[in-house]
């Protein structure tokens, strides 16, 4: 079983600062958390070694890249379709942002982004044609009211 690293208040603040701007320098991070740049670097290195920080990335605006339509597609699967089978199928869809097995009547919830409604319809039809899918149900996102980066709880 994986052990959860101990994060103190300074670690959590460093993570919040990096989530807001992964390009921030150690000096900028240090100014935000009242530590020297070398002290921040040591903490960031430790957090990377512990697997808390898995990488540094950029957050893109999907709409600016032409992915204007967002939806959640619920997949109802045959019998006892394994999560591995579900994962193998959804990995082949470039439109998939996230996919999760869930409790209840639905077996799999897939978040997708598409160019438009016609593209969304094509994606839904492709999912419905998967051999393990019995039926689908879709919900189109009207407005994304809140999106949070992965941050430690306060």
């Amino acid at each position: 079983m994986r052990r959860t690293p101990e994060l103190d208040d300074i670690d959590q603040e460093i993570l919040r600062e990096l989530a807001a701007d992964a390009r921030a320098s150690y000096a900028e991070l240090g100014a935000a958390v009242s530590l020297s740049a070398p002290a921040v670097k040591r903490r960031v290195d430790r957090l990377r070694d512990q697997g808390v920080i898995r990488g540094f990335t950029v957050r893109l605006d999907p709409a600016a890249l032409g992915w204007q339509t967002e939806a959640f597609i619920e997949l109802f699967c045959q019998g006892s379709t394994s999560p591995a089978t579900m994962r193998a199928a959804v990995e082949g869809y470039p439109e998939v942002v996230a996919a999760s097995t869930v409790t209840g009547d639905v077996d799999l919830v897939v978040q997708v982004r598409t160019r438009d409604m016609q593209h969304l319809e094509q994606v839904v039809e492709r999912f419905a044609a998967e051999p393990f899918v019995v039926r689908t149900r879709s919900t189109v996102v009207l407005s994304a009211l809140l999106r949070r980066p992965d941050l430690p709880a306060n």
Side-chain angles (χ1 to χ4, degrees):
M1 190 167 148
R2 187 174 181 187
R3 186 171 177 260
T4 303
E6 296 282 330
L7 301 178
D8 65 17
D9 292 343
I10 294 173
D11 290 337
Q12 291 185 30
E13 186 57 30
I14 289 170
L15 294 172
R16 278 190 285 281
E17 292 291 327
L18 285 172
D21 182 4
R23 293 182 56 179
S25 69
Y26 293 127
E28 291 168 326
L29 293 170
V33 300
S34 301
L35 287 178
S36 68
V40 170
K41 182 185 182 319
R42 283 191 299 274
R43 284 177 176 259
V44 169
D45 288 346
R46 178 179 46 79
L47 292 167
R48 289 183 76 188
D49 290 344
Q50 292 174 332
V52 174
I53 296 174
R54 295 183 301 185
F56 300 89
T57 189
V58 60
R59 289 191 309 263
L60 305 173
D61 178 357
L65 299 171
W67 298 90
Q68 309 252 357
T69 302
E70 181 178 3
F72 291 90
I73 305 171
E74 298 174 330
L75 279 65
F76 298 79
C77 301
Q78 292 177 356
S80 58
T81 303
S82 73
T85 298
M86 294 179 212
R87 180 184 177 132
V90 300
E91 283 179 328
Y93 290 76
E95 300 88 354
V96 172
V97 174
S100 303
T101 56
V102 295
T103 61
D105 295 342
V106 176
D107 297 294
L108 177 63
V109 175
V110 182
Q111 179 185 8
V112 299
R113 290 202 180 101
T114 61
R115 291 182 303 279
D116 51 33
M117 290 301 289
Q118 182 180 5
H119 185 191
L120 175 60
E121 184 176 14
Q122 293 167 355
V123 171
V124 171
E125 288 172 357
R126 287 183 6 233
F127 273 123
E130 291 288 346
F132 60 88
V133 174
V134 175
R135 68 183 178 96
T136 66
R137 180 171 56 207
S138 303
T139 304
V140 175
V141 174
L142 297 177
S143 299
L145 300 179
L146 177 65
R147 300 291 169 110
R148 290 187 173 131
D150 295 332
L151 292 175
N154 286 342

